[in-house]
Amino acid sequence: MNWRQVIQFARRWWTLALGIAVSALFLYLGLRGLHLGDVWDDVRHARVGWLVPAVAVYFLAVWGRTWRWHYLLRSIKPISLKALFPVVVIGYMGNNVYPFRAGEVIRAYVLKRNEGVNIPASLATIVIERIFDGLVMLIFVFVALPFADFNEDWLRNVVVLSTLLFWGAFMVFLVMALRPERTRQLYMWLFDRLLPNRFRVPVQGLADHFMLGLENLRHPRDVWMTLVSSIFIWLTETTKYWFVMHAFDFEVSFFVLMVMTAVVNLATTLPSSPGYVGTFDTPGIATLKAYGVSETIAASYTLVLHAALWLPITLLGFYYLYREGLGWSDFRRAQQAASEDRASEQPIALEGEARIG
């Protein structure tokens, strides 16, 4: 094992340890003071029939995610929804069960294996997905708060920090997409001054292919369609929250559930164990408590909701994984393939400057 592999190994396990620690801390904060027997009693008495339409509507959201990725990939390679759907499901399964959020990399790896799409370029489109997800979460908060306001400082802090993060990232990527030649000149200038000669060409190739994945941000219609599809995805997922709510003895408005959707999904951007344990549950419980839901009911609902989000797509993801002839070892191969792509990329020609309008 050379020094680079040692550093990579240490970094990966440090990331895993940090994620587990963050999850444990969030679980402690969310469940402390609760009588877990009462929480389990509420779970046992949940009206499970409501979970059926909840799961069905969730997979409608997954289909929406597939269409959005299909749209983002058009500038690289047109791929059918039928071919992409299993890849998307495998990716979300990977995030649920494997550390290091490897689902994103396995998704790009399977896409390269099946369709020959370059891994850095497809990862760039996945980064765009995440940015638009964050922007939609902020839209949900700003739309819902006039109808479901509360004076919790922690929520305001989450909104402020998330606004800076996601709008800042969106503006940076937008400028990069609209000014590819100037962006390329900038990173080439940095590479020439910061990198040894043997690393410059592969790193430049990686940056060039990543820029190719940002192509859709150059076109206002594509930005609009990505935003609209993202809103559809998250409204559909919030509808799942609404269905699951009817399995329990409480009721809040759809606007409150929009706030909850936004808060828990912004919190899951933090490091955590696989499946977002703790970082999903504790913010969800805190949000419902702020709207007057009893702590025990809030905990039982959030835990069941989390399980209903985790289990169906994970099971379907395993089915597609084995149907594709893949196994656990392919998660490691995906990481290796991504590294090899980064190391072997060659510079490509980028289109000229673009303007909005």
Side-chain angles (χ1 to χ4, degrees), residues 67-144:
W67 185 90
R68 180 178 64 179
W69 199 30
H70 157 82
Y71 196 85
L72 287 171
L73 288 168
R74 287 179 317 135
S75 59
I76 303 170
K77 181 180 180 180
I79 304 171
S80 71
L81 292 172
K82 183 179 179 181
L84 274 183
F85 183 77
V87 183
V88 170
V89 173
I90 289 171
Y92 281 95
M93 177 274 292
N95 281 342
N96 284 344
V97 301
Y98 202 83
F100 320 116
R101 301 192 188 226
E104 314 295 16
V105 177
I106 191 71
R107 177 150 56 122
Y109 168 74
V110 175
L111 188 67
K112 179 178 181 179
R113 176 180 176 269
N114 292 356
E115 303 290 342
V117 175
N118 175 274
I119 288 179
S122 60
L123 283 175
T125 63
I126 294 172
V127 170
I128 292 173
E129 287 182 350
R130 295 296 163 262
I131 291 173
F132 273 89
D133 286 340
L135 295 178
V136 170
M137 295 302 93
L138 295 172
I139 291 171
F140 273 25
V141 171
F142 291 123
V143 167

Side-chain angles (χ1 to χ4, degrees), residues 16-29 267 270-273 277-279:
L16 177 61
L18 176 62
I20 291 173
V22 170
S23 287
L25 175 62
F26 268 74
L27 277 180
Y28 167 74
L29 294 174
L270 295 171
S272 69
S273 65
V277 174
T279 54

Side-chain angles (χ1 to χ4, degrees), residues 36-49 247-248 297 300-301 304:
L36 296 183
D38 294 338
V39 174
W40 175 241
D41 192 57
D42 286 334
V43 170
R44 286 193 305 110
H45 289 92
R47 296 178 285 275
V48 295
F248 294 86
I297 290 288
S300 58
Y301 164 80
V304 168

Side-chain angles (χ1 to χ4, degrees), residues 27 37 73 111 145-146 170 174 229 233 256 258 266 273 300 314:
L27 277 180
L73 288 168
L111 188 67
L145 281 183
F170 175 70
L174 184 63
S229 61
I233 290 163
V256 170
M258 288 175 67
L266 289 172
S273 65
S300 58
T314 300

Side-chain angles (χ1 to χ4, degrees), residues 50-70:
W50 284 99
L51 300 183
V52 175
V55 171
V57 79
Y58 174 67
F59 278 107
L60 181 61
V62 176
W63 191 259
R65 295 177 192 277
T66 305
W67 185 90
R68 180 178 64 179
W69 199 30
H70 157 82

